[in-house]
Amino acid sequence: MAIEERLSGNAVREAVGESTRALGPYTDRDWTVPAGDLDWSCWTTAAHLAHDLLGYGTQLTGRPETGYLPLDLRVRPDAGPAQVLAVVAACGGLLAAALDTVPARTRAWHWGACDPSGFAAMGIAETLLHTYDIARGLAVGWQPPPAPSAAVLRRLFPDAPAGDPPAVLLWMTGRATLGSRPRRTAWTWRAAVD
């Protein structure tokens, strides 16, 4: 299966489904605690994830060439954790629908011209990484699955070292050490194709 086929609307749906399956049983916990090592709470991190998924979808459908569209998602502050996860699922569904409908040649801005597979990879990466952050904050043992981690690494981190894809993805994004390699303090992914 080509990397582009693994970075699709279905792949985004699978990542978001994995996130809601992993976190859904814990919506009765305190989501005001920090999400892992982030400064954000678990609640804020989930709202941020929804915002990113929506933003990637609107970039694809709006196709701006020079910046992000001037919109933001606002999750009502009285929304409970289960409701925020429902917003994540809805926004993931919108990104997946955009990926299902735009032509492969579509380009939209994300620090340069980005193709649909780049937006899919970023949506999957945001979902896996922030699910990991929230799970750590809630003291839930969860790791990103290997197959989507590998697809994200190939598309966004072409310079990633060999190794177990979830461990490498966490290291590439400054969330963990990798063998004798210290934790990274700065990182960026490359989604633009031009």
Side-chain angles (χ1 to χ4, degrees):
M1 184 180 293
I3 187 171
E4 292 79 14
E5 294 172 11
R6 285 187 227 124
L7 296 173
S8 64
N10 282 339
V12 169
R13 285 182 195 91
E14 289 172 10
V16 171
E18 172 65 22
S19 177
T20 57
R21 277 189 299 279
L23 300 175
Y26 305 100
T27 57
D28 59 340
R29 292 193 182 174
D30 180 5
W31 282 52
T32 64
V33 299
D37 294 332
L38 301 181
D39 292 332
W40 295 333
S41 70
C42 293
W43 189 99
T44 301
T45 302
H48 163 79
L49 169 57
H51 177 272
D52 284 350
L53 294 169
L54 177 66
Y56 296 152
T58 58
Q59 286 301 101
L60 274 173
T61 57
R63 302 179 191 174
E65 296 179 2
T66 59
Y68 267 97
L69 294 171
L71 65 90
D72 287 306
L73 172 68
R74 180 182 172 272
V75 178
R76 288 195 323 246
D78 63 341
Q83 292 171 308
V84 178
L85 283 182
V87 174
V88 168
C91 292
L94 291 172
L95 172 57
L99 288 161
D100 289 344
T101 58
V102 299
R105 67 183 180 284
T106 299
R107 298 293 182 267
W109 189 87
H110 182 83
W111 307 105
C114 185
D115 64 352
S117 72
F119 282 104
M122 290 187 294
I124 294 165
E126 292 281 356
T127 301
L128 298 178
L129 294 168
H130 288 315
T131 299
Y132 174 79
D133 297 331
I134 295 166
R136 286 188 64 218
L138 299 176
V140 173
W142 184 87
Q143 291 285 312
S149 296
V152 164
L153 287 168
R154 282 192 295 275
R155 178 58 180 82
L156 300 179
F157 297 101
D159 58 339
D164 175 57
V168 174
L169 180 60
L170 295 175
W171 179 74
M172 290 298 295
T173 57
R175 286 170 168 79
T177 60
L178 184 65
S180 63
R181 293 177 171 102
R183 191 170 174 171
R184 299 176 89 189
T185 57
W187 58 274
T188 187
W189 57 45
R190 288 183 285 227
V193 292
D194 300 333

